[in-house]
Amino acid sequence: KMKSQFCNEPGHLISSQQMKTNNQACVHVSDKATMTRTVSFGNIQIHEFRRTVGDNPACRGGPPMALSRKRLRHQVKTVDEYEKVRDGNRRTKKEMLMSRTERRTILLKVHSKMDIYEAEDEATKIRESRERAITQLERQERRKLRNVVGRLVGKKRFVIGKEGIDQM
C-alpha cells in the first residue's frame, strides 16, 4: 500500500514513496465536488405495548411502570406519513414524566392494588439496597485514601470527608 499526501498544488497528491526519494512528482486527483452523497430512510415501524407494573428502582414515587410483552398494535409508515401525523408536535421531557397518581391510575385498570403496592415495595427495597452499597463503597474508598495519605505524611491521623482532607 502506498500512502499519499497532498502537495502544495490543489487537487494533487504525492505518494510516500516519492517523498522518500525526494521525487516531487504529483498525481492529479479528481475534484471532490464530483462526489455525491445521499441519505435515504426506510419505513418506520411502530409497536405499541400494554403497560404493566415494573421493577425499576429509579422510580422514587409511586409504582414503577414498564411495557408488557404483549403487543397491542403494529404499524408501518413512511417517514413522511409519520411526520405529517405528528405535525411537529413533540413533548418536552417534563411532559413525558408521569406523576405517581397518573401511573397508579393507569395500572389500576389492569392490576390489583396489591400487585401495585408489592411492585412499589420491591422497587424501594432494591433502591435502598443500592444506596447502602454505594455508601459502603464510599467509606471503603475514604479508608483507602486515608491509609495512603497517612503513609505519605508520616502516620498522622486525617479525617477524609466529602469536602476534602482535614488533619486531626
Side-chain angles (χ1 to χ4, degrees):
K1 270 187 170 179
M2 247 197 257
K3 290 186 180 178
S4 299
Q5 294 181 345
F6 280 99
C7 70
N8 291 337
E9 296 179 48
H12 288 79
L13 290 175
I14 301 174
S15 72
S16 58
Q17 190 171 14
Q18 290 169 332
M19 288 180 73
K20 286 178 188 172
T21 60
N22 287 332
N23 183 356
Q24 294 296 316
C26 294
V27 179
H28 183 69
V29 179
S30 64
D31 188 19
K32 289 183 180 181
T34 58
M35 292 177 26
T36 57
R37 296 180 183 183
T38 59
V39 176
S40 61
F41 297 96
N43 291 329
I44 295 173
Q45 294 191 31
I46 303 167
H47 300 268
E48 292 181 40
F49 295 87
R50 181 170 303 219
R51 292 180 255 193
T52 187
V53 288
D55 59 358
N56 185 353
C59 181
R60 292 203 171 266
M65 199 160 52
L67 299 177
S68 75
R69 293 176 186 228
K70 181 177 174 156
R71 186 169 65 190
L72 296 174
R73 199 164 57 163
H74 174 244
Q75 299 175 35
V76 178
K77 294 182 176 186
T78 66
V79 174
D80 292 334
E81 290 171 333
Y82 179 74
E83 290 296 331
K84 185 177 179 181
V85 170
R86 287 193 52 189
D87 194 29
N89 294 326
R90 294 183 187 269
R91 294 185 299 168
T92 64
K93 283 184 180 181
K94 189 175 182 179
E95 291 171 327
M96 287 191 244
L97 292 175
M98 280 191 223
S99 70
R100 68 179 68 195
T101 307
E102 288 174 295
R103 288 194 305 276
R104 193 171 278 123
T105 302
I106 290 167
L107 292 172
L108 278 171
K109 293 177 183 175
V110 288
H111 293 283
S112 70
K113 284 184 180 181
M114 186 56 103
D115 289 342
I116 293 169
Y117 290 129
E118 285 175 1
E120 282 182 72
D121 265 357
E122 186 62 27
T124 301
K125 286 177 186 174
I126 293 169
R127 183 177 58 254
E128 288 172 351
S129 171
R130 288 181 181 179
E131 288 169 354
R132 281 191 304 273
I134 289 169
T135 301
Q136 187 176 6
L137 286 171
E138 288 172 346
R139 282 187 196 134
Q140 288 173 356
E141 288 302 312
R142 282 196 299 270
R143 256 187 244 121
K144 286 179 189 175
L145 185 58
R146 187 171 39 244
N147 291 338
V148 169
V149 169
R151 275 186 252 130
L152 292 174
V153 184
K155 307 290 181 185
K156 293 182 181 175
R157 296 203 32 105
F158 291 89
V159 176
I160 300 172
K162 291 183 180 179
E163 284 79 38
I165 302 172
D166 295 320
Q167 190 172 354
M168 291 179 70

